Amino acid sequence: MTDAEPMPDTERTADTEPMADATRRAIAAGEQTLALEAAGLEALRAGLGVEFGRAVDRLHATTGRVIVTGMGKSGHVGAKIAATLASTGTPAQFVHPAEASHGDLGMITRSDAVLALSNSGATPELSDILAHTRRFAIPLVGITARAGSPLAEAADVALILPAVPEACPLRLAPTTSTTMTLALGDALAMALLDRRGFTAEDFRVFHPGGKLGARLIKVADIMHGPEALPLITPDRPMSEALIEISARSFGCVGVVDGQGRLAGIVTDGDLRRHMGPDLTARPVGEVMTADPKTIRVRALAAEALAIMNDFKITALFAVDDEGRPAGILHVHDCLRAGVA
């Protein structure tokens, strides 16, 4: 066979068919895993009852922090739950149970509450934390799959996971159980968020970095304030408007009426449209564009950027509830802040 001759069909089949079979088996295994875990979540949702409400009550009443603890896979899940709680208004911290037995019990105070995770409910490493909570009357909420386990018996509130199989084909690796535990932790965090009246502004305080924080920046956070505003009244000559536009470097000047409300705007585009030998002598009111686009001071900067993109403008006046200009936002301000 020469290099130019095609490979026979039998060889091509021999090379590719086993890979196709393996791919089909992988997809089937993935679908089975997701189906079992979805069934677990549905069983968890269907069984959510009064004990869940009691757990929220206990955690919400805590004046200190929610201490989340768990061993192995439960510990990894617990660390994420603690992070979610802390970022949504419920002060929280993960404490490793093994480290707790060697001094970190001092991190758990009488003003705290403990959220302990153990699928079996009999994790030996949790015993010292459980004893600590009982000794100092620290509220204890347990998440476990065993109603009669040491954790369930010790807890003030025990959230029992439904009896559903692990997604692991051997029924051994924590899969469905950890998914349900994670989801139940999220449910607790969101119920506490709702109970506390946690807002998007509160959320931004805890997420100042990255794209998430940028999306929650408000106009007031990045706008240029009243001292930087290019403003003029409609009766003034355009020669003064040109001086104001040049001095402020926003490419526009706002036109305010007798009550200080924004009545119009003069932009570079307005100058080109009215270009003529008498432009500088004309009153501003004859050249301005009336009822310009504006944004509320309390609006998200992302909303302001959307308006500028939609109407192909580069600057936007921020106004108060009475329509008076309180600031000005340039598209470059949004880009510098990472709003996109």
Side-chain angles (χ1 to χ4, degrees):
M1 180 186 303
T2 66
D3 291 341
E5 292 175 349
M7 183 184 294
D9 288 344
T10 53
E11 292 185 33
R12 194 159 54 242
T13 301
D15 287 341
T16 58
E17 193 58 32
M19 183 178 292
D21 287 342
T23 300
R24 282 194 292 270
R25 288 192 62 184
I27 293 171
E31 290 176 341
Q32 176 72 357
T33 300
L34 295 177
L36 288 170
E37 296 199 359
L41 290 176
E42 177 55 31
L44 180 65
R45 184 202 65 79
L48 213 61
V50 67
E51 290 301 293
F52 180 82
R54 290 185 59 217
V56 173
D57 291 341
R58 288 276 182 164
L59 299 179
H60 181 258
T62 301
T63 57
R65 296 160 300 168
V66 174
I67 304 297
V68 187
T69 188
M71 194 70 188
K73 303 299 187 295
S74 292
H76 295 307
V77 170
K80 188 275 179 186
I81 292 173
T84 299
L85 287 167
S87 70
T88 54
T90 299
Q93 177 182 343
F94 178 79
V95 172
H96 195 286
E99 297 294 339
S101 299
H102 294 273
D104 283 1
L105 278 176
M107 296 180 177
I108 308 173
T109 71
R110 294 175 186 266
S111 62
D112 297 331
V114 171
L115 176 61
L117 319 176
S118 171
N119 190 50
S120 69
T123 304
E125 291 85 354
L126 284 176
S127 59
D128 287 335
I129 287 184
L130 300 189
H132 186 73
T133 65
R134 301 307 80 190
R135 178 184 179 188
F136 294 104
I138 297 169
L140 173 63
V141 176
I143 298 179
T144 178
R146 304 287 184 267
S149 64
L151 173 57
E153 292 295 323
D156 297 298
V157 182
L159 301 178
I160 308 301
L161 300 175
V164 294
E166 298 286 9
C168 168
L170 304 176
R171 300 296 184 256
L172 297 176
T175 45
T176 307
S177 60
T178 49
T179 297
M180 291 190 296
T181 302
L182 180 60
L184 191 53
D186 285 344
L188 288 169
M190 295 305 102
L192 287 165
L193 177 152
D194 180 70
R195 180 77 61 88
R196 295 177 187 279
F198 197 75
T199 66
E201 177 61 24
D202 297 323
F203 196 80
R204 188 181 75 83
V205 171
F206 296 129
H207 299 77
K211 297 300 293 182
L212 183 57
R215 288 202 302 271
L216 296 171
I217 289 174
K218 291 192 173 182
V219 170
D221 296 327
I222 58 174
M223 73 181 188
H224 301 268
E227 70 286 349
L229 288 176
L231 297 174
I232 199 167
T233 56
D235 59 310
R236 305 310 300 164
M238 279 298 300
S239 57
E240 293 183 13
L242 289 171
I243 293 172
E244 188 70 9
I245 291 174
S246 300
R248 300 294 186 173
S249 302
F250 291 108
C252 65
V253 60
V255 185
V256 292
D257 62 18
Q259 287 73 47
R261 293 188 294 264
L262 190 69
I265 190 172
V266 177
T267 68
D268 293 337
D270 293 313
L271 298 180
R272 289 191 295 271
R273 283 187 291 272
H274 293 86
M275 187 61 67
D278 63 339
L279 174 62
T280 57
R282 294 176 65 180
V284 168
E286 291 183 5
V287 177
M288 74 178 192
T289 296
D291 299 320
K293 299 296 178 185
T294 60
I295 189 74
R296 295 292 178 183
V297 172
R298 295 187 300 275
L300 293 177
E303 182 183 346
L305 182 61
I307 293 173
M308 287 189 273
N309 285 335
D310 289 344
F311 292 95
K312 297 179 174 56
I313 55 180
T314 59
L316 199 61
F317 277 94
V319 297
D320 62 18
D321 293 337
E322 302 300 323
R324 293 186 292 263
I328 188 169
L329 189 64
H330 195 276
V331 66
H332 290 162
D333 300 319
C334 294
L335 297 178
R336 278 193 294 269
V339 180

